[in-house]
Amino acid sequence: MEAQRVLDRAHRRFLFLLGEAALYTAVGDRETMAEQLRRLLNATRAPRLSLGIVPLATPYTVPRNNAFTIYDSRMVTVATYTAELTLRQRHEVMIYEKAFDRLMALAVRGEVARRLINRALSDQVEI
């Protein structure tokens, strides 16, 4: 949660994309997971942050791959099990930008995303 402080910087804009399954993937105890889901709910209303969620039933049109982060069209980091790759060549960055755009087109945002998060939060609380 410490890493989330960067989201408070007024001069930055963030675009996040995740699969709905991530809402149900336990990376802590129930209390931690519920807190993370509440933070996601708040994030859907943040002015400099856009959160897209690809619903479970959505057919992927982009091959599933490792998690990646794009930094201002200058650099992409790709997480693997053994290392983090840093890509800086423009043609490589563009491939990831295109993949992100295609995945974001599959995602829901706003009220629909909040419903998905609330459903996962509800399931978390009921466990």
Side-chain angles (χ1 to χ4, degrees):
M1 295 210 200
E2 182 72 25
Q4 294 176 10
R5 286 188 187 190
V6 71
L7 301 177
D8 296 328
R9 294 184 181 160
H11 63 287
R12 297 276 185 188
R13 183 169 165 246
F14 299 91
L15 305 173
F16 291 99
L17 177 65
L18 53 104
E20 183 180 359
L23 302 176
Y24 295 90
T25 303
V27 292
D29 61 24
R30 279 187 278 171
E31 185 178 313
T32 300
M33 290 302 297
E35 177 61 25
Q36 285 294 337
L37 292 168
R38 286 186 203 98
R39 284 177 178 258
L40 281 177
L41 278 174
N42 289 334
T44 64
R45 292 181 173 87
R48 294 176 321 280
L49 192 146
S50 174
L51 173 66
I53 301 174
V54 179
L56 284 171
T58 302
Y60 272 72
T61 58
V62 177
R64 289 186 165 181
N65 206 333
N66 296 337
F68 62 90
T69 304
I70 302 171
Y71 297 91
D72 300 326
S73 295
R74 295 177 294 108
M75 178 178 77
V76 174
T77 58
V78 182
T80 73
Y81 285 118
T82 59
E84 182 176 89
L85 307 173
T86 300
L87 309 172
R88 296 178 194 271
Q89 293 186 17
R90 185 66 193 137
H91 71 278
E92 290 178 320
V93 173
M94 288 174 61
I95 289 169
Y96 281 89
E97 288 176 328
K98 185 176 179 180
F100 183 87
D101 290 343
R102 288 178 62 193
L103 287 166
M104 191 58 98
L106 301 173
V108 296
R109 292 180 263 323
E111 188 54 41
V112 178
R114 283 189 283 280
R115 281 198 301 267
L116 292 178
I117 297 167
N118 276 317
R119 185 180 318 141
L121 182 57
S122 205
D123 289 349
Q124 187 64 41
V125 172
E126 290 175 9
I127 295 175

